[in-house]
């Protein structure tokens, strides 16, 4: 890769605490005086936020492949408009979800398999360079724990189209993540996210310290 930045992605099933932990990461990096941006997928730039609302709308029925293509389209625009420029300025980019989310949710959850990798390799290839994260921080919880958190506290966010999928779907997603961890070993750090927020963040901080400082 041509840039000097660090691309750090938070991954994990619904309710694993990605958004919660990113808020803590922001505070921590600000205190350390780090030059960073924090962003999310799908979204982060206008066209991708619009695609996000199409994907997550509970009224929009669509095939798994359509869903995969929409995520990939949003991913590419977000990457080109926001992530790459920041990396080229030497910034740290903290991102809520990226390619591993598609490989687990659409590849394993929707059972689309290898097609998802092919589509995503296209989506993250800009001028002949594939933009893979410096690190995926994977927050591991069972679907029981994750979904219970989301449904218990409606306050956090709205229930979306993917939350409403059957238990089997969420089980395949988590199993998918565990398989991806083995397959892409050097790209992942796994954290047990069933513990309290402070304990989870202590581990994340350890990872950030090694990667950045
Ligand atoms: N370690 C934790 N222990 C208990 N509850 C938690 C923990 N971390 C987050 N929560 C709560 O669980 C809910 C889901 O957390 P959060 O929104 O951060 O998950 P997420 O991984 O971003 O989910 P999604 O993938 O659906 O966006 C929130 O109500 C949050 O306050
Ligand atoms: Mg979230």
């Amino acid at each position: 890769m041509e840039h000097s930045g660090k691309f750090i992605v938070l991954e994990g099933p619904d309710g694993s605490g990605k958004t919660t932990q990113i808020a803590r990461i922001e505070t921590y990096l600000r205190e350390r005086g780090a030059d960073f941006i924090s962003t999310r997928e799908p979204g982060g730039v206008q066209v991708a936020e619009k695609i996000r609302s199409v994907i997550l709308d509970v009224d929009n029925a669509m095939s798994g492949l359509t869903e995969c293509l929409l995520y990939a389209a949003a991913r590419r625009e977000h990457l080109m408009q926001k992530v790459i420029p920041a990396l080229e300025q030497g910034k740290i980019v903290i991102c809520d979800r990226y390619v591993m989310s598609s490989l687990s949710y659409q590849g394993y959850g929707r059972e689309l398999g290898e097609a998802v990798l092919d589509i995503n390799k296209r989506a993250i290839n800009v001028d002949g360079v594939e933009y893979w994260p410096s690190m995926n921080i994977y927050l591991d919880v069972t679907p029981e724990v994750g979904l219970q958190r989301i449904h218990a506290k409606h306050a956090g966010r709205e229930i979306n189209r993917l939350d409403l999928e059957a238990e089997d779907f969420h089980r395949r997603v988590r199993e998918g993540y565990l398989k991806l961890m083995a397959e892409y070993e050097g790209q992942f750090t796994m954290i047990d996210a069933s513990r309290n927020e402070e304990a989870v963040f202590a581990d994340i901080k350890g990872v950030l310290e090694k990667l950045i400082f």
Side-chain angles (χ1 to χ4, degrees), residues 73-131:
R75 175 159 301 135
R76 182 170 182 81
E77 279 313 306
H78 176 246
L79 178 67
M80 291 182 75
Q81 292 185 33
K82 193 164 181 183
V83 175
I84 293 175
L87 292 173
E88 284 178 345
Q89 289 166 32
K91 292 186 184 185
I92 299 159
V93 176
I94 305 292
C95 188
D96 196 332
R97 296 193 179 281
Y98 193 58
V99 172
M100 295 301 168
S101 283
S102 286
L103 298 184
S104 57
Y105 282 74
Q106 282 72 48
Y108 289 96
R110 301 273 184 232
E111 301 181 296
L112 294 176
E114 282 293 301
V116 183
L117 181 61
D118 294 344
I119 289 163
N120 274 275
K121 277 188 166 176
R122 268 291 178 181
I124 66 167
N125 188 318
V126 179
D127 297 330
V129 178
E130 283 180 15
Y131 286 81

Side-chain angles (χ1 to χ4, degrees), residues 32-165:
R32 296 291 302 250
D35 193 8
F36 74 99
I37 64 163
S38 135
T39 185
R40 71 164 182 184
E41 275 206 0
V45 297
Q46 187 176 309
V47 62
E49 288 289 341
K50 287 187 174 172
I51 296 171
R52 177 191 183 93
S53 64
V54 171
I55 297 171
L56 297 181
D57 188 335
V58 293
D59 294 328
N60 285 345
M62 65 182 78
S63 74
L65 189 59
T66 302
E67 182 181 283
C68 177
L69 290 163
L70 286 171
Y71 274 115
R75 175 159 301 135
R76 182 170 182 81
E77 279 313 306
H78 176 246
L79 178 67
M80 291 182 75
Q81 292 185 33
K82 193 164 181 183
V83 175
I84 293 175
L87 292 173
E88 284 178 345
Q89 289 166 32
K91 292 186 184 185
I92 299 159
V93 176
I94 305 292
C95 188
D96 196 332
R97 296 193 179 281
Y98 193 58
V99 172
M100 295 301 168
S101 283
S102 286
L103 298 184
S104 57
Y105 282 74
Q106 282 72 48
Y108 289 96
R110 301 273 184 232
E111 301 181 296
L112 294 176
E114 282 293 301
V116 183
L117 181 61
D118 294 344
I119 289 163
N120 274 275
K121 277 188 166 176
R122 268 291 178 181
I124 66 167
N125 188 318
V126 179
D127 297 330
V129 178
E130 283 180 15
Y131 286 81
W132 292 92
S134 318
M135 184 56 73
N136 291 288
I137 299 178
Y138 169 60
L139 303 184
D140 186 50
V141 291
T142 61
E144 289 79 14
V145 171
L147 294 177
Q148 194 187 5
R149 284 180 187 170
I150 281 170
H151 291 284
K153 245 212 244 164
H154 244 235
R157 75 187 205 356
E158 302 232 314
I159 300 301
N160 68 44
R161 201 171 52 81
L162 277 88
D163 299 331
L164 296 176
E165 280 297 324

